[in-house]
Amino acid sequence: RGDIDAWAHAAIVSVVTGKKFLGGNYGATFIPSVMNLSIEAPRVGLEEASGFGLADLYVIPVNLGWTTKHADITTWYGFFAPTGEYNAAAASPDRGFGMWSHELALGSTFYLNGSKSVHVSALGAYEMHSKKKNTDVRVGQLLTIEGGVGVTTKKAMNFGMAYYAQWKVTDDTGLGLPPLVEDRLGKNRNYGLGPEASMVLPLKMDLSKLALLNFRYLFDLGSKLDTKGQTLVFNVTFKLK
């Protein structure tokens, strides 16, 4: 038994332009982050921490969005750049994965009534990876589905349940393990479910701008061949223009 704790802080810069492509609004997103990862395994006398430092960079150069009477739709291409510290030969925790990853995503929020106060959402993302730095290891491709069910009140508050499910759809390669061991490892999977709440607030310095506060707490369920725990997410979003 042991513990793995990760703290990550991300500054998300998202821009939606006035330009159209295929009828959708064009936007882009840039997400640099710093993180601290610590591992504690008492039975083997291991207690290591990475300290805070630069993590992998996530960029969405192409993001398209459509708004209809009953639904909002989004799709994008994004990539993870290996800017975080990674050392395949070291036993200490890394802040990065040491590989490039490419992601294609498609999702929608569907409104169940005319006032758009009751809504359900789902977003699917497919992730592909390069080999890890200085190794022959290639992580299997991942399929992630996430979203939620929520209700929005007249005071611009939203309450609901969030979920996610993730499956590794192809095998990891280059691990150097005996074939019998690799066959028994199979592919990992994870499921999560938990409450979510958000609130829109006017900023005193300028009432034309808004701040969105969002809180989410997810419990990992049904994990296979992976760590299991809880995830806390707290977001503050400011509208700059």
Side-chain angles (χ1 to χ4, degrees):
R1 297 184 62 86
D3 293 295
I4 299 176
D5 297 312
W7 288 88
H9 306 271
I12 304 173
V13 181
S14 181
V15 178
V16 179
T17 70
K19 297 182 179 180
K20 298 278 188 177
F21 181 73
L22 299 177
N25 296 311
Y26 169 77
T29 302
F30 179 78
I31 310 178
S33 61
V34 296
M35 73 174 297
N36 182 8
L37 178 64
S38 63
I39 300 176
E40 182 179 346
R43 289 190 178 183
V44 296
L46 175 64
E47 187 173 350
E48 296 281 350
S50 65
F52 276 102
L54 187 65
D56 288 348
L57 172 69
Y58 184 50
V59 178
I60 300 176
V62 179
N63 187 357
L64 299 177
W66 297 264
T67 298
T68 69
K69 182 178 180 180
H70 297 290
D72 296 326
I73 303 167
T74 185
T75 186
W76 71 73
Y77 159 73
F79 65 87
F80 293 87
T83 53
E85 182 180 358
Y86 174 79
N87 187 345
S92 59
D94 296 311
R95 301 187 197 97
F97 290 105
M99 62 187 184
W100 289 86
S101 299
H102 303 273
E103 182 180 69
L104 297 173
L106 174 65
S108 176
T109 296
F110 185 78
Y111 302 99
L112 301 180
N113 57 359
S115 62
K116 296 187 176 182
S117 61
V118 182
H119 37 81
V120 297
S121 66
L123 184 142
Y126 196 84
E127 194 174 316
M128 300 157 284
H129 313 104
S130 70
K131 289 183 178 180
K132 285 181 173 286
K133 181 181 178 181
N134 299 325
T135 74
D136 290 325
V137 175
R138 187 188 299 271
V139 175
Q141 298 175 9
L142 297 173
L143 172 63
T144 305
I145 298 176
E146 58 183 327
V149 179
V151 176
T152 303
T153 70
K154 294 182 179 180
K155 294 184 178 181
M157 299 182 67
N158 184 76
F159 302 95
M161 294 292 292
Y163 70 87
Y164 82 90
Q166 185 179 75
W167 302 270
K168 187 172 289 183
V169 296
T170 64
D171 292 326
D172 295 342
T173 59
L175 297 174
L177 299 175
L180 180 60
V181 177
E182 288 193 347
D183 289 341
R184 288 187 175 274
L185 282 178
K187 305 180 184 73
N188 61 295
R189 65 168 186 258
N190 295 281
Y191 307 108
L193 180 68
E196 182 176 40
S198 61
M199 176 186 299
V200 177
L201 296 177
L203 298 180
K204 292 182 180 180
M205 59 183 178
D206 187 346
L207 294 179
S208 67
K209 297 181 174 65
L210 299 176
L212 175 64
L213 310 180
N214 179 267
F215 169 87
R216 180 185 301 175
Y217 197 95
L218 293 172
F219 298 87
D220 289 342
L221 305 170
S223 298
K224 175 185 176 183
L225 299 175
D226 211 337
T227 57
K228 184 178 180 180
Q230 293 87 43
T231 302
L232 169 65
V233 179
F234 180 71
N235 294 325
V236 182
T237 304
F238 297 97
K239 182 182 178 182
L240 299 179
K241 184 178 179 181

